[in-house]
Amino acid sequence: MRRILSILIFFLAAFSALSVEKIVVAVMQDPDFLDPHRAAASGTYEMMFNVFEGLLKPDSKGNVVPAIAESYSISPDGLTYTFKLREGVKFHNGREVTMTDVLYSFNRLKGSGEVRGLSSDFEKFVSEIEATDDITVEITLNTLNTDFLEKFIIAIIPADNPDHERNPIGTGPFKFVTYQPGQRVVIAKFDEYWNPDLPLVDEVEFRIIPDNQAALMSFMAGEVQMLPRLDAIQAEILRGRYNLISAEQNMVQLMAMNLAREPFDDLKVRQAINLAIDKEEIIEIVANGYGTVLGSNMSPIMERYYQEGLEDYYKTDIVAARSLLAQAGYPEGFKTTITVPSNYQFHVDTAQVIVEQLKKVGITAEIELIEWSIWLDRVYTGRDYEMTIVGLTGKLSAYDILKRYLSDYPRDFYNYFNPRYDELVNSAIKQTDIDKKAGLFKQAQVLLTEEAVAVYIMDPNFIVALASNLFGYNVYPLYVQDMSTLYYK
């Protein structure tokens, strides 16, 4: 009997060793593009962060560290970046990364001749890309940009891949397996990853569940092992039974107004709307207190560049709001539409509270719910909207956060054009003196607030729930899910 039991235990152990360790993560939206140089949606980067790497990559503290590059240096004048490639880094197709791939990737981003580049930053700032030997590449800027180092987290992709959209190939800890629209993105452990200690699980499925209540039920049923971006009510439901992690996330939730449309082309109207909004009430009702009031497009997590005090610039004042509307020619208010991506319940809930707040100053707002893909196409790209609520994800550099309002930025969907703002931001990135640089970025934030470009609501806390036996999660000040360090215990 003991011998039979021993044999049974042996086979059970062997089966366990061969079983696949898989994590299912609930996400709200489909990727917009799998080609990393074309993708714009934060939800895409959230998933594909695990598949693609650049010469550098971000760590959980918001620093950039070597990845495909083993080392780098910056010239004394700040214009030339030199990278040495790490030996033996492989793409997911098994081929080693070469200088040909690096040059292909950067030239694709920069563009040449009549071919537009796929990165406005590379197109705008890079003057020359040159390989000085088989493992060394130099990128020279045409003008000083002291935040440009962070741009090198952008993906290096194989030059011989005929279709980056249908067959995305990177160098990350996980390789792409499949994408079923509206259902899932599946990635699997890359056994030849250059860091042999990672990843710690075999497979990850990002399951697309737009309805957050359905996602919660799937998590509680054990069908999903990781549920990111919980709202406060969900967190209270799960507290004590699962691993919950909460932290600031470097996001700016805002209500944008289309400055190219009446009546939002009038500063007094935009100021009135800001005065009508009670941000504290929104945070209490929608986020159950898990949020930080904002006054401009910068989270206090960006401590060095954050301009304090702007959160108090528009204290709720219904009388002053009505007075400004009357001065602008709208004594009885007006009707408008708030367009919201339906898969983000947090933004939908925020819109519902704002509708009630705007009624107090005579503004009748109707909520229009649209699918995420339509929001990206019609609102973000086409600028066809009146007001919209969305969360702008954090970046590693203050410039990357604030450039969204530059007059020549391709996705300036607010239609904000201000030469003084352009001058401040473009001057800031040429400053090698960090205090002067911070001062200019802070002045730019003040302009956004004074001109009421949007209603800057909050940086909502990031709350993630993990299955009780899942550990190793790292919070980033970026919209990513790093699955490489997660493990079961």
Side-chain angles (χ1 to χ4, degrees):
M1 183 66 182
R2 287 183 179 177
R3 187 167 181 272
I4 294 173
L5 186 59
S6 297
I7 293 171
L8 182 60
I9 291 172
F10 171 81
F11 278 111
L12 284 172
F15 177 77
S16 177
L18 291 171
S19 62
V20 174
E21 284 195 328
K22 177 179 177 179
I23 300 173
V24 179
V25 185
V27 295
M28 290 184 174
Q29 65 193 54
D30 282 89
D32 57 346
F33 290 96
L34 295 177
D35 181 335
H37 295 167
R38 298 183 185 277
S42 299
T44 304
Y45 188 54
E46 172 181 37
M47 297 179 273
M48 302 306 281
F49 173 79
N50 300 280
V51 173
F52 295 109
E53 290 177 321
L55 296 179
L56 308 176
K57 68 187 303 180
D59 67 11
S60 60
K61 303 299 182 185
N63 304 308
V64 288
V65 296
I68 293 174
E70 188 174 53
S71 63
Y72 67 89
S73 62
I74 305 173
S75 63
D77 63 5
L79 291 174
T80 301
Y81 295 77
T82 303
F83 297 89
K84 298 281 187 182
L85 299 189
R86 187 186 300 274
E87 185 180 352
V89 177
K90 290 186 176 182
F91 286 116
H92 298 147
N93 59 8
R95 181 174 68 74
E96 284 196 12
V97 176
T98 68
M99 185 55 65
T100 299
D101 304 304
V102 175
L103 296 177
Y104 165 78
S105 299
F106 286 148
N107 283 315
R108 191 171 188 251
L109 293 165
K110 180 183 183 299
S112 59
E114 295 182 358
V115 179
R116 289 295 306 270
L118 297 180
S119 165
S120 59
D121 289 316
F122 275 78
E123 198 172 33
K124 179 178 181 179
F125 289 104
V126 174
S127 63
E128 189 174 1
I129 302 164
E130 181 184 7
T132 57
D133 59 43
D134 287 346
I135 64 165
T136 309
V137 62
E138 289 184 352
I139 292 89
T140 303
L141 308 186
N142 53 41
T143 187
L144 189 60
N145 180 342
T146 54
D147 271 10
F148 205 80
L149 183 65
E150 286 82 3
K151 303 296 183 292
F152 295 106
I153 67 173
I154 200 161
I156 299 298
I157 53 180
D160 56 357
N161 182 2
D163 195 335
H164 299 292
E165 181 62 30
R166 296 188 181 184
N167 183 35
I169 297 172
T171 64
F174 292 90
K175 59 185 178 181
F176 173 80
V177 176
T178 187
Y179 165 46
Q180 295 172 278
Q183 298 181 53
R184 61 183 57 82
V185 172
V186 179
I187 58 178
K189 178 179 181 178
F190 180 44
D191 291 325
E192 296 181 273
Y193 184 51
W194 57 265
N195 182 348
D197 297 328
L198 298 174
L200 303 178
V201 295
D202 300 307
E203 187 177 294
V204 176
E205 176 190 334
F206 292 100
R207 188 168 297 174
I208 299 160
I209 310 177
D211 185 285
N212 67 345
Q213 192 60 32
L216 176 65
M217 298 305 293
S218 294
F219 179 79
M220 295 178 71
E223 299 165 0
V224 167
Q225 289 78 48
M226 180 173 149
L227 185 59
R229 298 185 173 81
L230 276 71
D231 61 37
I233 295 174
Q234 291 174 324
E236 290 304 316
I237 292 172
L238 301 177
R239 192 172 305 282
R241 290 184 289 166
Y242 302 93
N243 296 330
L244 289 186
I245 298 169
S246 176
E248 286 185 327
Q249 63 173 315
N250 194 19
M251 175 185 279
V252 174
Q253 187 201 35
L254 55 79
M255 182 168 71
M257 296 169 277
N258 191 342
L259 275 60
R261 294 269 182 96
E262 292 183 355
F264 308 108
D265 57 346
D266 190 319
L267 174 59
K268 287 185 172 65
V269 170
R270 301 196 303 272
Q271 290 176 328
I273 290 171
N274 269 272
L275 289 168
I277 301 303
D278 185 338
K279 300 172 189 178
E280 296 280 5
E281 183 180 55
I282 295 172
I283 291 173
E284 201 56 44
I285 293 174
V286 178
N288 202 27
Y290 290 94
T292 302
V293 172
L294 299 180
S296 195
N297 202 122
M298 187 75 69
S299 165
I301 201 171
M302 298 287 289
E303 185 176 355
R304 183 187 294 276
Y305 300 109
Y306 174 70
Q307 177 59 57
E308 294 182 4
L310 296 178
E311 64 276 9
D312 298 321
Y313 193 91
Y314 294 104
K315 283 291 188 182
T316 308
D317 190 331
I318 301 303
V319 174
R322 281 188 172 276
S323 175
L324 283 169
L325 284 175
Q327 293 173 43
Y330 301 95
E332 305 302 322
F334 56 87
K335 292 182 179 180
T336 188
T337 300
I338 306 174
T339 303
V340 188
S342 59
N343 58 314
Y344 284 102
Q345 190 62 43
F346 192 84
H347 300 326
V348 175
D349 293 344
T350 299
Q352 291 170 344
V353 176
I354 286 177
V355 164
E356 296 304 313
Q357 293 179 347
L358 290 177
K359 284 180 181 178
K360 297 176 184 178
V361 296
I363 297 174
T364 302
E366 177 185 346
I367 298 173
E368 178 193 23
L369 299 180
I370 60 175
E371 293 181 3
W372 176 245
S373 59
I374 297 174
W375 188 92
L376 284 171
D377 181 57
R378 180 153 70 82
V379 178
Y380 189 55
T381 303
R383 308 183 189 187
D384 179 15
Y385 73 101
E386 294 179 353
M387 296 200 293
T388 188
I389 296 174
V390 73
L392 296 180
T393 54
K395 303 292 183 180
L396 295 177
S397 78
Y399 172 74
D400 278 352
I401 292 170
L402 296 175
K403 74 177 183 183
R404 291 163 166 151
Y405 298 87
L406 291 174
S407 300
D408 62 354
Y409 185 62
R411 290 193 171 90
D412 170 21
F413 70 101
Y414 328 87
N415 284 308
Y416 177 62
F417 304 103
N418 185 328
R420 175 58 180 155
Y421 181 86
D422 297 346
E423 181 186 354
L424 286 169
V425 174
N426 288 326
S427 296
I429 58 171
K430 297 176 184 176
Q431 290 291 334
T432 53
D433 183 311
I434 195 71
D435 292 329
K436 290 181 180 178
K437 178 179 177 178
L440 291 168
F441 279 140
K442 288 178 180 180
Q443 288 181 54
Q445 292 168 59
V446 172
L447 263 186
L448 293 179
T449 304
E450 289 177 345
E451 300 206 324
V453 180
V455 178
Y456 300 101
I457 303 169
M458 68 169 128
D459 180 358
N461 276 29
F462 174 81
I463 309 173
V464 60
L466 305 171
S468 57
N469 63 336
L470 189 58
F471 297 89
Y473 185 82
N474 287 318
V475 177
Y476 282 67
L478 294 166
Y479 202 102
V480 301
Q481 302 298 339
D482 183 357
M483 306 305 298
S484 68
T485 59
L486 286 167
Y487 62 93
Y488 284 107
K489 185 167 72 173

